[in-house]
């Protein structure tokens, strides 16, 4: 697990640009991701030089040593046979099997690293090597033979990969801060992305809040050639990838196969040359992980954030799970004053803001301080096994929508206006009105359910021109989901919601936050429940098998083969969140008011100060229409703008 960076100057650097300095700045900005080593190289093919139509290529790397800790695995890595270079971030769990296959094809290895397996695999199979990689990864390979750059990102988007193009260069990196550090990326705010951030507490891929900086789509690779030719291709998508044996299996066979895939994934994700821990909240997903680690013959080492003396404290439940499976358990007690002390550092570590992530920072810090470099997370269980309320809500909405799909639009708009008038500015009323105005299809309804600020609220905050310009381009989530339904028109509601949650909130908030907050401490987080073979199998199952029917994540629990404590399986879904609501009214209030006031967001000339204060005062007044997440998203946004210097 590492940080990567690179720059290709297609005709050599223009005047005033010093490539060696550029890559050093980019790599230095990623030091937190790889405290164990660094490297930067010019990719020079023997007998060739840059300029006169030949590119100059710089690759950089920061190393977090997990597998093969020796210098032989250092990066950027050059090939032994042909002029290719690799900078790579991730873990390929099947690298041993691939290494044996490549050895059978006559290849010789000089390290025991998955890095060299990826590089030699590319030389053997070309860009389609990505089809063989089982794990999480973001990589850049410069091929000196073809003068092409390959960028690739893993199937689910667990590892990030950002790009920025100029007329004569292409830059890429693990983080936006690295691109900004290059000195070649203007610190300009993307106004369309800003509207999207307010809508979804994040910016849907491919945009980011920095104008021109793009996030490579999950399951995609990019081929860049001279003259600025860039081709992006999808090599995997969870709506298309199917397990043919799933549809014909009996319920007993389904549970047995899922159990087998869960155990195989856990065993693969435990492969490491350094200690591995497990995040434990006491919920079903993290408890299932602990059970799977124990079934692999490993004593789990578990970590839980607790809030002693509050209703948010899940410590007792987590400790009970740890005891049941014989884990070495560590509590991480968190108080209001603890968070206040850590919050400035946590906000400074944000690479791209969202309305979440502080909890990941805290637990990652404690795990790393305990000497652990790899941690397992239960992320993905809610999306795959129906843990969110959105699964039930969307089934109900899909049933109700039949009554209005064929209703004339003027009648629906009239009803929506009435709801807005009656509901005033409540969130529920705004969403109900937007649902009525929609066409009543799943791709239109789901994003509305996930919105943070309604269109009316965004208009009040940003002004009508920005919101109209954004709307004219279409909602990126609606477009993404419509494309999925076109490719799989018979999709059931449960499977649709799994896809929608995985490609929106999970990808753009949870995975991004987990990566940036864990790597801020040089901690690698692995997600066994997002093993692509497990995902393919569950996504291929009919909805009737996946419905929980009142029993939380029934399919996951019944497939484990190991009984979880009753207090785990019987409790309703609870998100792992800090008690921000009372804390923002208490000791966090001065910090919030700084970021929301005239010295913060209200003074940037982008937002309407009155609208910001209305949101803040409504929250302080305890109005149900403004939960803590709305003002906090604005606080996180301004903290990021303040640190990065990005301006409108």
């Amino acid at each position: 697990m590492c940080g990567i960076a690179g720059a290709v100057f297609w005709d050599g650097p223009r005047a005033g640009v010093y490539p060696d300095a550029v890559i050093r700045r980019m790599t230095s900005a990623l030091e937190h991701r790889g405290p164990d080593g660094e490297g930067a190289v010019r990719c020079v093919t023997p007998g060739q030089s840059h300029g006169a139509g030949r590119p100059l290529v710089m690759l950089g790397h920061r190393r977090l040593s997990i597998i093969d800790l020796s210098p032989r695995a250092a990066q950027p890595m050059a090939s032994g046979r042909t002029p290719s270079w690799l900078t790579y971030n991730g873990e390929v769990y099947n690298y041993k099997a691939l290494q044996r296959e490549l050895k059978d094809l006559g290849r010789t290895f000089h390290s025991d690293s998955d890095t060299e397996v990826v590089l030699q695999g590319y030389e053997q199979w070309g860009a389609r090597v990505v089809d063989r990689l089982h794990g999480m990864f973001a990589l850049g390979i410069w091929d000196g033979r073809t003068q092409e750059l390959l960028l690739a990102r893993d199937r689910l988007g667990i590892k990030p990969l950002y790009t920025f193009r100029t007329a004569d260069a292409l830059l890429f990196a693990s983080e936006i801060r690295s691109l900004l550090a290059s000195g070649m990326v203007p610190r300009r705010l993307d106004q369309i992305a800003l509207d999207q951030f307010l809508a979804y507490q994040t910016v849907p891929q491919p945009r980011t809040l920095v104008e021109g900086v793009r996030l490579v789509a999950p399951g995609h690779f990019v081929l860049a050639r001279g003259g600025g030719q860039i081709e992006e291709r999808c090599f995997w998508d969870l709506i298309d990838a199917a397990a043919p044996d799933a549809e014909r299996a009996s319920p007993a066979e389904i549970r047995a196969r899922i159990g087998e895939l869960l155990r195989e994934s856990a065993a693969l994700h435990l492969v490491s040359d350094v200690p591995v821990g497990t995040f434990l909240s006491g919920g079903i997903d993290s408890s299932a992980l602990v059970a799977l680690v124990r079934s692999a013959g490993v004593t789990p080492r578990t970590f839980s954030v607790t809030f002693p003396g509050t209703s948010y404290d899940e410590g007792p439940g987590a400790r009970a799970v740890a005891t049941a499976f014989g884990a070495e358990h560590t509590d991480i007690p968190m108080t209001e004053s603890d968070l206040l002390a850590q919050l400035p550092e946590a906000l400074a570590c944000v690479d791209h803001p969202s309305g979440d992530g502080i909890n990941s920072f805290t637990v990652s810090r404690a795990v790393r301080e305990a000497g652990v470099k790899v941690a397992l997370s239960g992320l993905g269980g809610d999306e795959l096994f129906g843990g969110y309320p959105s699964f039930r809500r969307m089934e109900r909405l899909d049933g109700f929508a039949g009554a209005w799909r064929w209703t004339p639009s003027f009648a629906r708009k009239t009803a929506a206006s009435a709801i807005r008038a009656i509901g005033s500015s409540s969130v529920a009323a705004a969403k109900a009105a937007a649902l009525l105005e929609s066409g009543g299809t799943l791709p239109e309804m789901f994003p509305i359910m996930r919105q943070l600020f309604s269109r009316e609220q965004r208009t009040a905050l940003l002004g009508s021109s920005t919101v109209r310009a954004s709307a004219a381009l279409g909602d990126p989530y609606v477009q993404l989901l419509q494309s999925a339904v076109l490719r799989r028109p018979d999709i059931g509601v449960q499977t649709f919601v799994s896809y929608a949650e995985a490609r929106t909130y999970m990808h753009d908030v949870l995975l991004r936050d987990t990566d940036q907050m864990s790597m801020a401490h040089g901690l690698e987080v692995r997600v066994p429940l997002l093993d692509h073979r497990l995902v393919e199998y569950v996504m291929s199952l009919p909805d009737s098998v996946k419905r929980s029917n009142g029993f939380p994540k029934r399919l996951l629990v019944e497939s484990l083969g190991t009984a979880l404590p009753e207090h785990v399986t019987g409790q309703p879904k609870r998100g792992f969140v800090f008690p921000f609501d009372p804390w923002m009214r208490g000791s966090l209030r001065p910090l919030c008011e700084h970021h929301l006031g005239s010295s913060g967001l209200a003074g940037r000339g982008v937002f309407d100060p009155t609208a910001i204060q209305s949101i803040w005062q409504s929250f302080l007044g305890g109005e149900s229409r403004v939960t803590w997440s709305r003002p906090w998203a604005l606080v996180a946004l301004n903290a990021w703008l303040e640190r990065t210097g990005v301006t409108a």
Side-chain angles (χ1 to χ4, degrees):
M1 187 62 60
C2 311
I4 65 174
V8 181
F9 303 91
W10 294 113
D11 295 307
R14 62 179 181 269
V17 175
Y18 303 97
D20 295 282
V22 167
I23 199 66
R24 279 198 303 272
R25 290 195 297 267
M26 293 178 71
T27 305
S28 294
L30 298 172
E31 181 179 1
H32 53 283
R33 296 185 71 93
D36 298 332
E38 64 177 320
V41 298
R42 285 191 179 212
C43 302
V44 180
T45 303
Q48 296 181 354
S49 61
H50 67 81
R54 292 195 178 277
L56 170 62
V57 182
M58 305 291 305
L59 297 182
H61 190 263
R62 292 292 317 199
R63 185 181 184 191
L64 179 66
S65 304
I66 302 295
I67 292 175
D68 190 346
L69 312 184
S70 74
R72 296 188 303 273
Q75 298 184 52
M77 182 178 286
S79 63
R81 291 190 177 185
T82 55
S84 297
W85 293 262
L86 167 69
T87 184
Y88 154 72
N89 167 33
E91 299 292 352
V92 173
Y93 304 118
N94 65 330
Y95 79 101
K96 287 286 190 182
L98 289 175
Q99 186 185 66
R100 288 192 296 271
E101 184 177 357
L102 288 164
K103 284 182 177 179
D104 289 342
L105 292 170
R107 292 191 166 268
T108 301
F109 285 80
H110 306 283
S111 74
D112 193 32
S113 68
D114 57 340
T115 302
E116 188 177 4
V117 169
V118 173
L119 182 57
Q120 295 217 38
Y122 170 78
E123 293 189 321
Q124 185 69 39
W125 300 304
R128 301 312 308 193
V129 66
V130 295
D131 295 325
R132 298 169 179 261
L133 304 182
H134 186 165
M136 55 183 182
F137 55 86
L139 58 85
I141 297 177
W142 175 253
D143 190 326
R145 301 165 298 179
T146 62
Q147 300 287 284
E148 292 179 342
L149 175 70
L150 171 69
L151 303 176
R153 192 165 177 228
D154 65 68
R155 294 169 179 82
L156 276 302
I158 302 167
K159 292 290 99 186
L161 183 58
Y162 296 93
T163 65
F164 180 79
R165 292 181 61 183
T166 69
D168 52 8
L170 173 67
L171 280 66
F172 67 90
S174 295
E175 295 188 4
I176 296 172
R177 78 180 78 227
S178 178
L179 295 175
L180 293 174
S182 73
M184 297 179 63
V185 179
R187 297 174 185 256
R188 286 197 298 265
L189 186 63
D190 185 322
Q191 296 291 327
I192 302 299
L194 182 59
D195 177 64
Q196 295 173 355
F197 176 85
L198 294 181
Y200 297 114
Q201 67 174 313
T202 187
V203 179
Q205 169 274 323
R207 286 183 184 268
T208 70
L209 283 168
V210 181
E211 191 174 285
V213 173
R214 294 290 183 264
L215 178 62
V216 175
H220 280 62
F221 64 78
V222 176
L223 282 172
R225 305 179 181 89
Q229 301 176 63
I230 294 182
E231 178 184 2
E232 184 167 347
R233 301 179 193 170
C234 176
F235 67 87
W236 189 92
D237 187 80
L238 69 163
I239 203 70
D240 302 319
D245 57 329
E247 294 183 1
R248 300 185 298 271
S250 69
E253 290 170 333
I254 288 170
R255 290 192 294 271
R257 178 58 178 154
I258 291 176
E260 180 183 23
L261 289 169
L262 286 167
R263 290 187 292 276
E264 288 177 357
S265 178
L268 284 172
H269 283 74
L270 286 168
V271 173
S272 172
D273 292 334
V274 296
V276 179
T278 302
F279 294 159
L280 175 60
S281 67
I284 291 175
D285 300 332
S286 61
S287 299
L289 272 188
V290 175
L292 289 166
V293 171
R294 170 54 74 186
S295 71
V298 176
T299 299
R301 190 173 179 185
T302 54
F303 298 83
S304 301
V305 174
T306 65
F307 306 104
T310 74
S311 60
Y312 295 84
D313 188 18
E314 295 184 282
R319 287 191 292 274
V321 171
T323 299
F325 293 103
E328 298 176 9
H329 185 67
T330 301
D331 277 336
I332 307 166
M334 176 65 59
T335 66
E336 191 171 352
S337 59
D338 293 332
L339 178 63
L340 188 62
Q342 291 189 28
L343 200 52
E345 182 184 353
L347 290 173
C349 290
V350 172
D351 184 56
H352 191 279
S354 78
D356 208 341
I358 303 301
N359 46 3
S360 298
F361 175 91
T362 300
V363 67
S364 295
R365 179 177 184 166
V367 170
R368 192 66 179 89
E369 288 176 348
V372 174
K373 294 177 76 171
V374 178
L376 305 183
S377 165
L379 200 158
D382 285 317
E383 292 77 8
L384 204 55
F385 294 101
Y388 289 126
S390 57
F391 286 86
R392 272 71 68 196
R393 289 173 185 166
M394 288 304 297
E395 285 216 315
R396 290 196 298 269
L397 276 175
D398 188 52
F400 295 151
W404 82 71
R405 282 176 184 144
W406 308 110
T407 303
S409 60
F410 76 87
R412 287 187 277 114
K413 288 181 180 179
T414 300
S417 297
I419 288 175
R420 286 193 179 95
I422 295 170
S424 183
S425 55
S426 76
V427 174
K431 290 189 175 183
L435 287 167
L436 277 175
E437 290 174 334
S438 76
T441 65
L442 293 173
E444 291 172 290
M445 293 190 296
F446 178 84
I448 293 170
M449 298 302 297
R450 269 293 182 193
Q451 283 188 359
L452 186 69
F453 289 107
S454 68
R455 180 168 180 169
E456 292 75 23
Q457 290 170 320
R458 301 194 318 266
T459 299
L461 285 164
L462 294 177
S464 58
S465 60
T466 298
V467 177
R468 277 200 305 267
S470 178
L473 296 176
D475 188 304
Y477 282 158
V478 173
Q479 294 167 347
L480 171 74
L481 300 178
Q482 284 175 335
S483 174
V485 170
L486 283 174
R487 301 199 310 276
R488 192 168 167 181
D490 61 341
I491 191 171
V493 176
Q494 293 285 309
T495 303
F496 170 84
V497 177
S498 280
Y499 180 84
E501 289 286 5
R503 284 302 312 272
T504 62
Y505 182 65
M506 185 188 84
H507 175 263
D508 291 331
V509 176
L510 298 181
L511 285 174
R512 179 146 50 182
D513 283 348
T514 297
D515 175 82
Q516 63 187 358
M517 290 309 200
S518 61
M519 293 306 293
H521 304 290
L523 176 74
E524 173 179 301
V525 174
R526 300 177 177 179
V527 281
L529 298 184
L530 289 181
D531 179 284
H532 76 272
R533 296 180 307 160
L534 174 64
V535 170
E536 288 174 353
Y537 190 82
V538 176
M539 287 291 289
S540 301
L541 296 173
D543 277 12
S544 58
V545 176
K546 293 188 284 190
R547 287 191 186 92
S548 292
N549 297 325
F551 189 91
K553 300 178 193 173
R554 175 177 55 86
L555 185 58
L556 171 60
V557 172
E558 292 179 352
S559 300
L560 270 180
T562 301
L564 296 179
E566 187 176 347
H567 79 271
V568 173
T569 58
Q571 67 181 345
K573 165 68 180 172
R574 291 182 64 181
F576 173 41
V577 296
F578 283 7
F580 273 102
D581 193 289
W583 289 358
M584 285 171 65
R585 303 173 198 274
S587 59
L588 294 185
R589 180 169 176 171
L591 179 139
C592 293
E593 291 183 338
H594 159 74
H595 285 296
L596 298 177
S598 58
S599 60
L601 208 60
R604 292 189 176 276
V606 179
F607 291 85
D608 182 277
T610 303
I612 293 175
Q613 281 305 304
S614 175
I615 291 168
W616 179 238
Q617 292 303 321
S618 296
F619 164 72
L620 291 178
E623 296 183 27
S624 60
R625 67 185 180 88
V626 179
T627 57
W628 68 267
S629 59
R630 287 165 175 79
W632 180 255
L634 299 179
V635 169
L637 172 63
N638 187 72
W640 180 81
L641 292 170
E642 193 173 77
R643 182 184 61 78
T644 60
V646 173
T647 59

